[in-house]
């Protein structure tokens, strides 16, 4: 067997082109065979089909590039939960834009490693420009804001707590019951006190409980607020929270992994009023930014906040190299080797511009409001509340939590729809997290029809069993 060709260099594109054609055909064939938002049959069926189709993954004699690509990519596409399908709406799992995926291919082919300048000359300059630009979106009034690219909201939240710890020592975090689980996990990983969790009876942080917690706990204190909760998409009262933290001398971190991109929408950015008052902000552009994972951001109001992340490894950032002008990249992440995720983000922002991204956001939010209206008008369905961003909770009327869970699993096993689940007001709800700007009103109507049919089937089955 000849030595396989490489992706880089002047010859790389010619070697890639036929392989990409094979991949694109396999993606099409797999999606056609799936013919829906996810494969039917449930975990056992999907696993059996994958193993049967792909055969041994490490054979003695290789099958060749095109056969391997065709076999495995087709199998993966056929067995995928495809967020590009309008009925795949369970999670903050975005359908990536084609242009972002294409940029990601270039990043993979060039393979810059973002831990030293000599591995990523242009990529490091692009990342520096992008992180400054994104930080300026969050902190438009500070002279030198900065941001880091992370693997997502979880890593960004962990970095936020780490930076607070390095500024003040073992900070006591205060968050609400609606906060993302990564806040508590980050405190555990960093050896910090277990967060004080205050109530969120209406889905957002309770201000009276926050005031009491700030008075009751000794400093240093870090309040972690949320702009876009995982379950309902609600946004904490950021201005009131910022006022309280200022009054009581606490720091503020805002987890805007979901809601942060609303900054780009003139129609919806008012939801993020006072975001700039936080000492750190998490964004996640592989949610409401339509990027392939991963594309997280941690923004801070002053670049010196990040100085504590400096790390010295002579083979990557020798002092004399730094003194001679080679950029030191190790302080830009807790990771060493990392991909140039800046490229796909930069391509997307430049291609669409502010207006294009705002249009995607506005379309998506409008779809969620339309779905809520459809539910509200449906006699057999109950709406939890109108959406803040793009998450809609609903359930069939006059049913119990067991039936709601059964409906969700029925739709999954049939391959008809991917809906999430969320508990609110002591009841279980079906969760539609709309992130597909191509979703139409007819798509939404058909989704509700699938739910009502599944409910009828579950009700009939329950009556038969009784």
């Amino acid at each position: 067997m000849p030595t396989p060709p490489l992706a880089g260099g002047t010859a790389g594109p010619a070697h890639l082109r036929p392989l990409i054609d094979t991949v694109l055909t396999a993606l099409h064939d797999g999606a056609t065979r799936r013919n829906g938002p996810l494969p039917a049959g449930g975990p056992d069926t999907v696993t059996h089909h994958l193993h049967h189709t792909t055969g041994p993954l490490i054979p003695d004699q290789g099958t060749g590039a095109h056969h391997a690509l065709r076999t495995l990519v087709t199998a993966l596409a056929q067995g995928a939960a495809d967020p590009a399908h309008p009925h795949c709406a369970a999670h903050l799992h975005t359908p990536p834009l084609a242009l972002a995926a294409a940029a990601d291919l270039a990043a993979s082919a060039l393979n810059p490693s973002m831990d030293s300048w000599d591995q990523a000359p242009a990529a490091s300059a692009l990342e520096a420009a992008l992180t400054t630009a994104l930080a300026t979106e969050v902190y438009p009034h500070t002279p030198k804001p900065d941001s880091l690219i992370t693997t997502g909201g979880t890593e960004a939240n962990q970095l936020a707590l780490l930076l607070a710890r390095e500024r003040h020592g073992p900070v006591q975090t205060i968050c609400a019951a609606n906060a993302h689980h990564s806040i508590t996990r980050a405190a555990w990983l960093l050896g910090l006190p277990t967060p004080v969790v205050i109530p969120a009876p209406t889905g957002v942080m309770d201000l009276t409980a926050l005031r009491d917690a700030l008075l009751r706990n000794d400093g240093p204190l870090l309040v972690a607020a949320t702009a876009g909760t995982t379950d309902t998409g609600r946004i904490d009262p950021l201005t009131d929270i910022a006022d309280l933290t200022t009054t009581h001398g606490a720091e503020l971190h805002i987890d805007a992994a979901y809601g942060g991109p609303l900054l780009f929408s003139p129609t919806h950015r008012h939801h993020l009023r006072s975001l700039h008052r936080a000492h750190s902000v998490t964004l996640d552009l592989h949610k409401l930014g339509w990027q392939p994972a991963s594309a997280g951001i941690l923004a801070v109001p002053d670049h010196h906040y990040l100085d504590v992340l400096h790390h010295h490894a002579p083979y990557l950032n020798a002092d004399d190299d730094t003194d001679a002008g080679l950029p030191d990249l190790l302080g830009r992440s807790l990771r060493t080797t990392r991909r140039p995720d800046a490229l796909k983000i930069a391509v997307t922002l430049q291609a669409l511009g502010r207006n294009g991204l705002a249009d995607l956001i506005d379309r998506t939010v409008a779809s969620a409001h339309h779905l809520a209206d459809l539910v509200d008008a449906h006699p057999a369905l109950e709406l939890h509340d109108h959406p803040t961003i793009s998450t809609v909770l609903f359930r069939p009327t006059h049913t119990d939590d067991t039936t709601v869970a059964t409906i969700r699993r029925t739709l999954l096993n049939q391959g008809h729809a991917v809906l999430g689940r969320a508990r609110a007001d002591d009841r279980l709800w079906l969760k539609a997290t709309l992130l597909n700007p191509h979703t139409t009103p007819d798509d939404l109507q058909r989704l509700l029809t699938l739910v009502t049919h599944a409910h009828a089937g579950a009700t009939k089955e329950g009556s038969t069993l009784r």
Side-chain angles (χ1 to χ4, degrees):
M1 178 180 290
T3 303
L6 303 178
T10 57
H15 294 305
L16 278 172
R17 188 166 283 110
L19 297 174
I20 291 171
D21 284 343
T22 297
V23 167
L24 295 177
T25 300
L27 286 171
H28 173 270
D29 291 348
T32 301
R33 294 175 190 176
R34 185 183 65 247
N35 192 31
L38 80 166
D44 290 344
T45 299
V46 172
T47 300
H48 174 76
H49 181 266
L50 179 77
H51 291 168
H52 175 75
T53 302
T54 60
L57 296 181
I58 311 179
D60 291 332
Q61 185 67 32
T63 62
H66 289 278
H67 182 276
L69 283 169
R70 185 168 53 249
T71 300
L72 289 168
V73 174
T74 301
L76 201 66
Q78 185 175 351
D82 184 2
H85 193 287
H87 296 161
C88 187
H91 304 286
L92 289 163
H93 178 200
T94 195
L97 296 171
L99 67 95
D104 222 18
L105 169 64
S108 293
L110 294 168
N111 203 31
S113 184
M114 304 299 296
D115 50 315
S116 66
W117 183 88
D118 58 357
Q119 299 176 86
S124 61
L126 177 65
E127 181 179 271
L130 177 70
T131 51
T132 299
L134 289 172
T136 303
E137 295 293 324
V138 179
Y139 298 105
H141 309 302
T142 60
K144 290 189 176 180
D146 204 351
S147 67
L148 300 175
I149 294 180
T150 72
T151 55
T154 293
E155 184 189 352
N157 285 338
Q158 182 181 346
L159 275 170
L161 267 65
L162 172 63
L163 294 177
R165 186 193 72 180
E166 294 305 294
R167 286 194 297 271
H168 302 294
V171 294
Q172 173 64 66
T173 305
I174 300 172
C175 62
N178 65 353
H180 193 262
H181 65 85
S182 61
I183 298 294
T184 299
R185 194 179 192 191
W188 168 67
L189 285 168
L190 295 167
L192 296 174
T194 301
V196 173
V197 179
I198 61 177
T202 63
V204 298
M205 183 181 287
D206 183 83
L207 294 172
T208 301
L210 174 59
R211 185 181 297 109
D212 291 344
L214 289 168
L215 289 169
R216 189 171 60 248
N217 290 276
D218 295 327
L221 302 177
L222 174 69
V223 175
T226 306
T229 61
T230 303
D231 278 350
T232 65
R234 284 180 169 163
I235 296 173
D236 286 338
L238 303 181
T239 297
D240 293 331
I241 292 169
D243 288 345
L244 283 171
T245 57
T246 299
T247 298
H248 294 276
E251 289 206 347
L252 175 61
H253 169 66
I254 298 177
D255 177 3
Y258 181 7
L262 295 179
L263 280 173
F264 290 99
S265 167
T267 304
H268 298 290
R269 69 162 64 107
H270 67 276
H271 288 299
L272 301 178
R273 196 175 291 119
S274 295
L275 188 73
H276 66 282
R277 295 174 63 184
H279 295 79
S280 55
V281 173
T282 289
L283 304 175
D284 200 343
L285 296 175
H286 61 248
K287 294 182 172 64
L288 202 64
W290 296 280
Q291 298 299 295
S294 55
I297 302 289
L298 179 73
V300 293
D302 189 288
H303 67 108
H304 287 305
Y305 277 36
L306 304 177
D307 289 348
V308 297
L309 298 179
H310 173 75
H311 179 69
H312 192 241
Y315 76 103
L316 295 173
N317 60 349
D319 289 338
D320 58 324
D321 277 349
T322 303
D323 292 341
L326 296 185
D328 179 355
L329 305 184
L330 276 187
R332 305 299 298 174
S333 178
L334 294 182
R335 294 168 284 151
T336 304
T337 301
R338 55 189 181 88
R339 301 183 76 250
D341 289 316
L343 176 60
K344 62 195 175 192
I345 300 171
V347 166
T348 300
L349 294 175
Q350 188 172 89
L352 300 182
R354 296 176 188 278
N355 293 339
L357 193 58
D359 181 64
L360 290 179
I361 291 166
D362 294 349
R363 286 174 180 270
T364 303
V365 175
S367 286
H369 281 277
H370 184 70
L371 176 60
D373 290 342
L374 289 175
V375 172
D376 216 12
H378 200 298
L381 296 173
E382 178 183 356
L383 178 69
H384 176 258
D385 201 356
H386 284 272
T388 302
I389 308 177
S390 66
T391 299
V392 180
L393 302 189
F394 66 100
R395 56 184 275 153
T397 55
H398 310 302
T399 193
D400 56 25
D401 289 355
T402 300
T403 303
V404 172
T406 299
I407 290 168
R408 175 180 177 272
R409 288 191 294 269
T410 297
L411 293 171
L412 288 175
N413 287 329
Q414 291 173 341
H416 289 167
V418 189
L419 290 171
R421 53 187 289 163
R423 183 160 291 278
D425 301 335
D426 293 325
R427 291 192 293 168
L428 186 66
W429 300 81
L430 297 171
K431 178 175 70 171
T433 307
L434 301 186
L435 290 174
N436 188 338
H438 292 276
T439 297
T440 67
D442 287 344
D443 293 328
L444 299 174
Q445 187 61 65
R446 283 193 290 271
L447 178 63
L448 297 186
T449 300
L450 288 169
V451 170
T452 55
H453 285 173
H455 179 223
T459 304
K460 181 178 180 181
E461 182 178 341
S463 300
T464 302
L465 292 174
R466 284 194 294 270

